Amino acid sequence: MALPLPVDAIAHNIQLATAPVFLLAGIGSFMNVLTTRLGRVIDRARLIEAEIHGYDIDLAARARTELRVLGRRMTAAHWAIGLCTLSALLVCVVVAALFVGDLIPLRGSVIVAALFVGAMILLIGGLLLFLIEVQIAMRSVKVRGEML
């Protein structure tokens, strides 16, 4: 039977386990940006889809091109959100493992390290997809000369 841990050991366990929570806060903020961008793209696509039937041939062709671009942006944002969500989930598992691992003697340091590395790889993937989505958005914006 395990002896109860002293209060300072439990406090240390809490500190160790909650340090990755700052990473969770950052991922959460990043996901807020992603979902806002995705929402704006979806709103724009719905607007175009609702109005495209009243467009002339040239404007309808431009609208279809824009819808294809918006579709690529939605796909990139969707996958970025998915990867960041999985990353946050792995960070949560790391927090739980760190806290439980000090209370119950387990040999899980390799697992915790692998989970953390996995979380970072997923976050990197989400950031790269965000960069791709921004690049698609920037390439699709063309200011016509008559507007300048």
Side-chain angles (χ1 to χ4, degrees):
M1 186 165 145
L3 297 173
L5 292 174
V7 173
D8 60 338
I10 292 173
H12 174 70
N13 293 345
I14 291 171
Q15 288 174 342
L16 180 66
T18 57
V21 171
F22 293 107
L23 177 59
L24 280 176
I27 293 172
S29 296
F30 179 58
M31 287 177 60
N32 187 32
V33 169
L34 286 170
T35 56
T36 300
R37 290 181 70 87
L38 179 60
R40 293 191 66 171
V41 170
I42 289 170
D43 289 345
R44 177 69 180 146
R46 285 182 180 158
L47 178 69
I48 292 171
E49 287 174 344
E51 296 177 351
I52 197 167
H53 300 294
Y55 293 167
D56 64 23
I57 294 173
D58 291 335
L59 193 54
R62 282 196 302 212
R64 282 189 207 89
T65 300
E66 185 174 354
L67 283 172
R68 282 190 291 275
V69 169
L70 292 172
R72 290 197 337 257
R73 288 183 62 192
M74 283 187 273
T75 300
H78 169 77
W79 279 99
I81 290 168
L83 291 178
C84 289
T85 301
L86 288 173
S87 176
L89 179 66
L90 287 183
V91 171
C92 289
V93 172
V94 166
V95 169
L98 287 172
F99 187 72
V100 172
D102 274 347
L103 295 176
I104 302 169
L106 298 172
R107 300 269 185 228
S109 60
V110 173
I111 293 171
V112 169
L115 288 170
F116 188 76
V117 168
M120 291 299 98
I121 290 170
L122 290 168
L123 182 59
I124 289 167
L127 290 167
L128 287 172
L129 284 167
F130 173 66
L131 181 63
I132 289 168
E133 189 272 333
V134 169
Q135 290 300 314
I136 293 169
M138 291 302 297
R139 277 188 257 126
S140 69
V141 176
K142 294 180 181 76
V143 178
R144 292 182 299 235
E146 66 267 12
M147 296 298 202
L148 300 174

